[in-house]
Amino acid sequence: MTNRTFTIIKPNAVAAGNTGKILDMILNAGFKIRALKMVFMSRNEATRFYAIHQGKPFFADLVEFMTSGPVIVGILEKENAVAALRELVGNTDPAKAAEGTIRRMFADSLTRNAIHASDSDENAQQEWSQFFKPKEIMVADYCL
Ligand code: CMP
């Protein structure tokens, strides 16, 4: 188990102006932000990021949505980070997400579900490596 995970605040949440509120919830839950940036993903980048879902019925819509506007990508640190962020984010389907979770509050649908949270330590590292170089990851408590 590592103490870092990876997140993407998705295009619907960014476009609706909810980035600040979501980052506030993340910080209030005790995460430290070790890296953060705004990215407009290309089709190639989104296809690579979601390669595991290629061939599934929702894949084309997912790539279309993830390339429809800018996203915020970040590396978050907290004890047991992967599980802690998934709890804060809530069920993939906002209709099933618990009260007070990010998806319950900001998701529009299963695809437009406001935020991504890595599902394992291994995937977290692989996912953030697509967006951050090692020198872009802060090791001390500089910020936010
Ligand atoms: P995310 O956590 O980013 O990981 C994969 C994404 O695919 C997921 O959030 C949803 O946005 C989307 N997704 C997963 N399952 C479905 C589904 N059954 N129908 C539509 N979209 C889905």
Side-chain angles (χ1 to χ4, degrees):
M1 188 196 310
T2 70
N3 56 358
R4 286 182 180 174
T5 190
F6 175 72
T7 192
I8 303 179
I9 301 176
K10 296 188 180 184
N12 64 318
V14 175
N18 289 325
T19 300
K21 291 177 203 153
I22 291 172
L23 289 176
D24 236 21
M25 288 175 74
I26 288 169
L27 291 168
N28 285 336
F31 288 92
K32 293 200 162 106
I33 295 175
R34 293 303 187 199
L36 195 70
K37 65 173 133 181
M38 186 177 270
V39 174
F40 206 134
M41 291 173 78
S42 67
R43 291 190 72 80
N44 276 348
E45 285 171 320
T47 299
R48 181 176 158 211
F49 185 80
Y50 282 122
I52 196 168
H53 296 299
Q54 210 149 11
K56 293 186 185 166
F58 58 84
F59 184 73
D61 282 351
L62 181 60
V63 170
E64 189 70 31
F65 166 58
M66 291 302 289
T67 57
S68 66
V71 300
I72 309 289
V73 293
I75 301 174
L76 307 176
E77 188 170 298
K78 187 187 173 175
E79 196 176 318
N80 203 5
V82 166
L85 186 64
R86 287 179 77 76
E87 190 180 340
L88 178 65
V89 157
N91 195 288
T92 307
D93 181 352
K96 296 179 187 152
E99 203 67 51
T101 59
I102 293 174
R103 282 177 174 153
R104 178 65 172 258
M105 294 172 76
F106 302 112
D108 302 318
S109 68
L110 197 47
T111 296
R112 299 168 60 84
N113 66 354
I115 189 164
H116 168 80
S118 303
D119 63 5
S120 68
D121 291 345
E122 192 188 2
N123 285 343
Q125 177 143 27
Q126 193 185 315
E127 289 172 1
W128 80 56
S129 304
Q130 191 177 329
F131 297 97
F132 294 103
K133 301 185 185 100
K135 72 173 189 177
E136 293 176 303
I137 303 169
M138 305 301 132
V139 291
D141 296 342
Y142 295 121
C143 57
L144 297 172

